[in-house]
Amino acid sequence: MSVKIAVLPGDGIGREIVDEALKVLDVLNKHFDLNAEWEEAAIGGAGYDESGDPYPEATRKLCRDSDAVLLGAVGGPKWEPLDKPLRPEAGLLRIREDLGLFANYRPAKVHEQLIHASTLKPEVIQGVDILVVRELVSGIYFGQPRGIETLPNGEKRGFNTLAYKTSEIERIARKAFEAARLRRNKVCSIDKANVLESTEYWREVVTALHAAEYSDVELSHMYVDNAAMQLIRNPKQFDVIVTTNMFGDILSDEASMLTGSIGMLPSASIGEVFAMYEPIHGSAPDIAGQNLANPLATILSVSMLLRFSLDRADLADKVEQAVENTLNAGVRTVDLADGGVSVSCSGMGDAVCKELEALA
Ligand code: NAD
């Protein structure tokens, strides 16, 4: 039986990087026993251009009819003057919310061959392998009330709401504990419980769930300001990090820089029914259309898709091995340039496909 993937290239470098990921899926169809089909739809600026909506109804339907979604990136200066609900980024928030993608997994693993691409000392980052599990559909990015208002004295005020319900905390903490059991069995829950009641409650719920169902997993708690520091000082202390939407947004970008390039990091956003896979970077308008982007984050997102949505850990391992072999051969896109063989975006995709074919 074939599996169906909804492919949403999006904007900027989205088209280029997704094309390389599709080449990898082609190799898996031809040389391995994957039977995948895919269909494309517009999202972000491309969605707005096509139908006046950054998350068009046709895209929504396709995603809901598919086994998984693969997304490139959205955004660009062309759409910045639009009203907020019409901007590409609004499409991204809506698809996450609509598909109920409450758990965002962002692995930050240092590839041995790229240790010198990081701005941190090799001895600090060697062996770093962190999984950030970020809550994605609640917290301050979604809380109501929100807005900008004028006070009776004429002064203006911007405001947002940070709130978490028991069920929202439990379901994300559960994902983190389960992920940890398949790794080094450690979870660090990050909050600001000393100042914010919403995260004081977060800590209380995580602690109770741990005691009730996951006492075999090692649990620690850390304030977010300390966590930001510890990620740079001694990142190897972390295995799985679980945290709120905004803290996760910030800390996972920080963790990504441990690995050298944002062009290397994939992500998975998972709900009870649907799942979406995308690189963590944006649409990189500064290099779009030049065949310069690093497609590895998108190719590694395909690997996460195989592992989590299609239950094909065997093929996910092959894709990851092919990426390792490509890096071992010294093949580098410009963002990774360290004296290796410099290739284009499509050149990197071709190199990974060649290594993958060799593993068939
Ligand atoms: P960005 O991630 O697009 O780019 C930051 C820097 O990293 C740029 O110099 C870019 O050239 C480089 N870069 C990013 N991906 C790369 C890759 N694969 N290979 C090589 N270099 C790469 O972030 P930004 O510049 O802050 O945002 C650009 C646009 O992307 C904005 O419209 C923003 O809203 C949007 N954005 C979208 C997403 C998403 O789709 N998930 C995430 C972040 C930003």
Side-chain angles (χ1 to χ4, degrees):
M1 212 181 74
S2 71
V3 290
K4 187 169 165 190
I5 303 170
V7 174
L8 317 179
D11 311 317
I13 59 170
R15 175 77 267 166
E16 301 158 56
I17 53 176
V18 161
D19 279 346
E20 300 317 306
L22 294 181
K23 280 187 196 164
V24 167
L25 281 172
D26 255 333
V27 172
L28 293 170
N29 270 345
K30 281 197 193 114
H31 298 278
F32 297 80
D33 61 340
L34 182 70
N35 187 2
E37 295 170 10
W38 50 89
E39 196 179 324
E40 292 196 1
I43 191 152
Y48 175 79
D49 288 350
E50 193 183 275
S51 65
D53 184 350
Y55 182 37
E57 185 51 35
T59 304
R60 180 174 182 268
K61 191 168 177 318
L62 175 68
C63 294
R64 289 179 162 266
D65 285 345
S66 302
D67 295 294
V69 180
L70 178 68
L71 184 134
V74 302
K78 178 180 167 191
W79 301 282
E80 271 164 25
L82 292 173
D83 285 345
K84 225 164 156 205
L86 297 176
R87 282 188 213 152
E89 295 77 8
L92 200 56
L93 290 182
R94 272 174 53 210
I95 191 172
R96 289 172 179 166
E97 195 181 17
D98 179 50
L99 299 181
L101 307 176
F102 66 85
N104 183 223
Y105 295 71
R106 288 180 167 204
K109 188 171 174 184
V110 171
H111 293 264
E112 195 67 30
Q113 315 87 335
L114 299 180
I115 247 163
H116 295 287
S118 174
T119 47
L120 288 156
K121 288 182 193 152
E123 61 269 29
V124 173
I125 57 164
Q126 196 154 35
V128 163
D129 182 2
I130 301 171
L131 177 66
V132 179
V133 180
R134 165 189 169 197
E135 197 291 319
L136 202 61
V137 295
S138 182
I140 199 163
Y141 291 180
F142 289 90
Q144 294 288 349
R146 61 191 295 162
I148 300 172
E149 64 181 8
T150 305
L151 298 169
N153 70 358
E155 191 182 1
K156 285 175 90 179
R157 171 176 100 116
F159 59 99
N160 292 87
T161 301
L162 172 57
Y164 272 107
K165 293 189 288 198
T166 315
S167 55
E168 291 168 335
I169 304 168
E170 280 183 349
R171 68 183 181 179
I172 190 76
R174 211 175 278 287
K175 292 282 183 203
F177 287 128
E178 276 157 20
R181 279 183 176 159
L182 301 174
R183 295 168 48 96
R184 299 192 302 281
N185 218 31
K186 275 168 59 173
V187 170
C188 181
S189 172
I190 292 174
D191 58 43
K192 189 72 183 168
N194 50 343
V195 179
L196 301 171
E197 286 79 0
S198 49
T199 67
E200 183 186 332
Y201 187 56
W202 172 284
R203 187 178 287 216
E204 194 181 311
V205 173
V206 172
T207 305
L209 181 70
H210 174 254
E213 294 179 40
Y214 296 99
S215 54
D216 57 303
V217 180
E218 190 186 318
L219 172 67
S220 59
H221 302 273
M222 198 179 274
Y223 297 137
V224 64
D225 41 350
N226 185 24
M229 185 183 79
Q230 295 296 336
L231 268 173
I232 301 297
R233 196 186 72 84
N234 176 19
K236 275 180 261 191
Q237 68 185 285
F238 297 107
D239 177 16
V240 174
I241 286 175
V242 64
T243 191
T244 63
N245 201 341
M246 183 165 71
F247 294 165
D249 190 6
I250 298 165
L251 292 178
S252 60
D253 266 27
E254 187 187 352
S256 78
M257 282 322 292
L258 301 170
T259 70
S261 172
I262 197 165
M264 291 299 301
L265 295 180
S267 78
S269 302
I270 292 180
E272 305 293 357
V273 181
F274 301 105
M276 182 165 88
Y277 301 84
E278 58 178 316
I280 75 156
H281 58 73
S283 58
D286 52 336
I287 56 167
Q290 299 174 47
N291 198 14
L292 286 177
N294 182 351
L296 291 180
T298 318
I299 290 172
L300 290 169
S301 299
V302 167
S303 155
M304 292 187 90
L305 185 156
L306 291 162
R307 197 179 296 283
F308 294 125
S309 280
L310 305 187
D311 205 15
R312 293 300 307 264
D314 57 327
L315 297 183
D317 288 345
K318 296 276 186 202
V319 172
E320 284 165 23
Q321 189 61 55
V323 168
E324 282 297 311
N325 293 352
T326 305
L327 293 173
N328 282 338
V331 180
R332 303 282 187 270
T333 39
V334 282
D335 55 308
L336 304 174
D338 61 353
V341 188
S342 189
V343 292
S344 61
C345 178
S346 53
M348 180 60 97
D350 291 340
V352 173
C353 288
K354 205 168 133 227
E355 292 293 347
L356 189 56
E357 281 174 30
L359 296 173

